[in-house]
Amino acid sequence: MEDNFWSMGDGPGPCGPCSEIFWDQGAVVDGERWLEIWNLVFMQYERLQDGSMRLLSRPCVDTGMGLERLCSVLEGAPTNFDISHLRYLASQVIELQAKLPNATKLNYTSGSSSLPEVTAVKVMVDHVRASVLLLHDGVFPSNTGRGYVLRRIIRRAVRYATK
């Protein structure tokens, strides 16, 4: 059950057994041949602060297939960040970041890498994407709730741009 159990880290919150659906990429990409494209979490427990669990009063199923995961399968892209719309966004992020004074030159190539500049591009791309979706949903930066989350996302992207 350890391998097929989902929780939000080690802290308190809803959790439960899970199942994943994988896509065979045919070749090893990023050390993995199989790409998880969908997960199903059967939320039935609440992990308490002391680590114990109790049954949820209203269990549910959390199902998720990331749009980027589906696109990577359809486009044959080796990673989520190599799909067409995120590659375009990465090129724009790199172009804009290069205009900052004293900016470290960023480079992003296809596939995955743990190089700091590749990680920086991925963080900025992911944070710009998330910020746009939140703004479209009517969320604006503020000091509370979702607005505070948006503010933190933007600040983190800016930190990576100015490193």
Side-chain angles (χ1 to χ4, degrees), residues 17-84:
C18 66
S19 180
E20 299 89 13
I21 297 174
F22 291 90
W23 178 260
D24 182 356
Q25 300 181 93
V28 176
V29 176
D30 228 4
E32 299 287 334
R33 177 178 171 175
W34 303 93
L35 174 69
E36 180 187 327
I37 60 169
W38 203 334
N39 63 355
L40 305 159
V41 180
F42 303 95
M43 300 282 194
Q44 48 188 274
Y45 303 107
E46 178 183 6
R47 179 174 284 138
L48 304 175
Q49 193 67 39
D50 66 5
S52 64
M53 290 189 279
R54 70 173 172 210
L55 288 173
L56 287 173
S57 60
R58 297 179 66 180
C60 62
V61 177
D62 178 14
T63 177
M65 172 185 259
L67 175 62
E68 288 84 5
R69 292 175 180 180
L70 179 59
C71 288
S72 68
V73 168
L74 294 174
E75 293 181 14
T79 73
N80 291 350
F81 288 96
D82 290 310
I83 61 176
S84 56

Side-chain angles (χ1 to χ4, degrees), residues 136-156:
H136 182 267
D137 202 29
V139 177
F140 293 96
S142 71
N143 295 330
T144 60
R146 296 189 319 158
Y148 182 69
V149 171
L150 174 58
R151 196 174 99 186
R152 300 238 354 193
I153 290 171
I154 293 170
R155 287 166 75 187
R156 186 166 186 250

Side-chain angles (χ1 to χ4, degrees), residues 80-91:
N80 291 350
F81 288 96
D82 290 310
I83 61 176
S84 56
H85 76 275
L86 292 186
R87 295 273 309 158
Y88 174 77
L89 191 52
S91 71

Side-chain angles (χ1 to χ4, degrees), residues 77-119:
T79 73
N80 291 350
F81 288 96
D82 290 310
I83 61 176
S84 56
H85 76 275
L86 292 186
R87 295 273 309 158
Y88 174 77
L89 191 52
S91 71
Q92 297 303 301
V93 162
I94 290 168
E95 184 179 317
L96 290 171
Q97 190 270 349
K99 295 177 181 179
L100 295 173
N102 303 319
T104 303
K105 183 172 175 8
L106 295 176
N107 186 20
Y108 180 77
T109 56
S110 182
S112 180
S113 173
S114 59
L115 295 172
E117 61 269 17
V118 173
T119 299

